[in-house]
Amino acid sequence: MSSKEIAMFRFSVPNMSCGHCTASIQKAIMAADPDATVSCDLTARIVDVDSTLDETALAAAISDAGYRSEKLAEVQ
């Protein structure tokens, strides 16, 4: 069991425009944190992530999937 707390992060991903985009982002985040919960809103182009990873690691995973992101919020 991890001693790290789970935090919720919200990212704006302006170039996320289709189901393939969301699948790529979800796959990249899940590869970095298999226990993460990822929710994508295509209309708003928002990705919500519950994870023990920090903002930098999550942004890197989104970048690795080929998308630029900007953190909008963090809720602990």
Side-chain angles (χ1 to χ4, degrees), residues 20-63:
H20 178 265
C21 298
T22 61
S24 295
I25 290 168
Q26 288 174 329
K27 182 178 178 181
I29 292 171
M30 297 299 287
D33 178 3
D35 295 324
T37 302
V38 183
S39 174
C40 299
D41 181 338
L42 267 177
T43 304
R45 297 184 181 186
I46 299 291
V47 177
D48 288 324
V49 184
D50 292 321
S51 176
T52 56
L53 297 178
D54 63 18
E55 168 193 355
T56 303
L58 293 170
I62 295 170
S63 178

Side-chain angles (χ1 to χ4, degrees), residues 8-31:
M8 190 285 263
F9 295 91
R10 176 168 281 180
F11 293 91
S12 169
V13 185
N15 294 329
M16 181 177 70
S17 60
C18 67
H20 178 265
C21 298
T22 61
S24 295
I25 290 168
Q26 288 174 329
K27 182 178 178 181
I29 292 171
M30 297 299 287

